[in-house]
Amino acid sequence: MKQILEKYGYAPDMEAIDRILTLIQNNLGSYESAGNLAACMGLIDLTSLNSADTEAKIAGMTQKVNMVKSSFPEYPAPAAICVYPNFAECVKKNLTVHSVKTAVVAGAFPHSQSFDQVKKLECKMAAESADEIDIVLPLHLFLAGEYEKTADSIREIKEILQEKTLKVILETGVLASPTAIAAASFLAMEAGADFIKTSTGKLEPAATPMAAIIMCDAIKRYYIQCGRKVGFKAAGGMTATKDALCYYSIVDTILGKEWLNKEYFRLGTSRLANAILSELEEKTVNYY
């Protein structure tokens, strides 16, 4: 862990992180605008990852996305629809908005606890219909100090996916320490992650501003050293518009406006879209 942090000349400084958190909190009001909230709508991976999901439910959610421009023409459609891999084909066959990607969780989500062959096969099968694949960092390897095996697990999946977008979920609430979050961020990026993502949303704590700051710092350091832009995705526990604006402001403050687009920044949520629409429309909206 120490070696990978030294490679990028980065160690999380909690005093500096606290200063950024205070800055974000004090300046959050400056981000409270209809324009920024509308922009956040276009960054959402509209997500349904429930045991009770059915093909009819996923098809209905997809139709909502198809109709969003006619229902709310002034706001962008979500960046992606994120579902379990067995529903990828359902999304693909029903989705008519070409700008919206089909995303799935795979690789034995949400715990990454299975045989490597099983995880790779699931990702390969999912990629037949999906544009983007979200996998979980194999925590059982990372927490045991098996860093090379952790990287190999991610790298092998990226090789299978080729041009498909790979998002690696760090599950920062389990990693807990700032040092571990930073090391996992660099390791995932080195192994080929196109996005690093805070959490599955299945464990608490999920996304936190502290973890987001560390991950964005790591993305910046990685870009400076390697020249490759990696995206950031906040997911889990986001239900209010202030949550969206908080992560929007973190990305803007640390990475800059080049990252404030769906190519490099996502918000993984199911409930946040209605909260944003309600604030923009100044009335309760339960569209999704």
Side-chain angles (χ1 to χ4, degrees):
M1 189 181 299
K2 182 179 179 182
Q3 186 177 6
I4 194 168
L5 295 181
E6 288 178 346
K7 179 177 179 179
Y8 292 95
Y10 177 70
D13 181 339
M14 286 310 301
E15 289 187 3
I17 291 169
D18 286 341
R19 286 196 296 271
I20 294 174
L21 283 170
T22 299
L23 177 67
I24 296 295
Q25 184 177 13
N26 292 341
N27 291 342
L28 199 57
S30 66
Y31 285 91
E32 292 176 351
S33 70
N36 286 341
L37 284 173
C40 286
M41 285 295 299
L43 302 172
I44 289 175
D45 283 1
L46 193 68
T47 303
S48 188
L49 299 172
N50 303 303
S51 299
D53 285 345
T54 63
E55 187 163 324
K57 179 184 175 183
I58 300 304
M61 183 173 73
T62 305
Q63 290 299 335
K64 289 284 188 179
V65 172
N66 291 338
M67 297 166 58
V68 69
K69 289 304 288 183
S70 59
S71 301
F72 302 98
E74 60 271 48
Y75 312 132
I81 298 173
C82 185
V83 295
Y84 280 116
N86 49 306
F87 294 118
E89 182 60 30
C90 175
V91 173
K92 183 178 179 180
K93 72 182 182 183
N94 286 286
L95 186 62
T96 59
V97 185
H98 299 300
S99 64
V100 178
K101 302 295 185 180
T102 300
V104 301
V105 294
F109 178 91
H111 302 301
S112 191
Q113 295 280 27
S114 188
F115 301 103
D116 283 344
Q117 297 95 320
V118 171
K119 292 193 284 186
K120 287 188 283 189
L121 179 59
E122 185 181 40
C123 289
K124 181 179 180 180
M125 293 175 67
E128 293 175 4
S129 299
D131 306 299
E132 303 177 349
I133 312 294
D134 292 28
I135 66 169
V136 180
L137 181 92
L139 290 165
H140 64 288
L141 296 175
F142 184 85
L143 294 174
E146 300 280 1
Y147 303 126
E148 191 56 40
K149 288 183 179 180
T150 304
D152 285 343
S153 179
I154 297 168
R155 192 177 294 114
E156 290 168 5
I157 288 174
K158 179 58 181 176
E159 288 173 358
I160 290 169
L161 299 181
Q162 297 183 12
E163 77 281 1
K164 304 285 186 175
T165 297
L166 174 64
K167 308 191 196 92
V168 177
I169 306 164
L170 306 186
E171 202 67 285
T172 55
V174 174
L175 295 177
S177 80
T179 299
I181 293 170
S185 297
F186 288 122
L187 185 150
M189 290 187 285
E190 284 190 347
D194 299 298
F195 276 76
I196 51 176
K197 175 178 171 182
T198 57
S199 41
T200 61
K202 301 297 185 182
L203 298 175
E204 294 294 339
T208 66
M210 182 201 75
I213 289 170
I214 295 168
M215 292 169 67
C216 288
D217 275 341
I219 289 170
K220 184 175 183 178
R221 297 279 183 142
Y222 181 81
Y223 174 64
I224 290 171
Q225 190 153 325
C226 301
R228 183 171 76 92
K229 286 184 177 180
V230 174
F232 168 73
K233 180 175 175 179
M238 295 180 295
T239 59
T241 55
K242 67 178 182 180
D243 297 324
L245 293 176
C246 176
Y247 292 109
Y248 189 91
S249 65
I250 288 171
V251 171
D252 187 26
T253 300
I254 297 174
L255 294 170
K257 300 196 183 304
E258 290 182 29
W259 264 262
L260 291 178
N261 57 72
K262 65 183 180 180
E263 300 303 317
Y264 299 111
F265 178 30
R266 298 287 180 86
L267 299 166
T269 181
S270 55
R271 292 175 288 178
L272 187 58
N274 284 334
I276 294 175
L277 282 173
S278 296
E279 185 152 334
L280 287 168
E281 293 292 295
E282 299 182 338
K283 62 181 180 181
T284 301
V285 177
N286 291 308
Y287 181 75
Y288 289 109

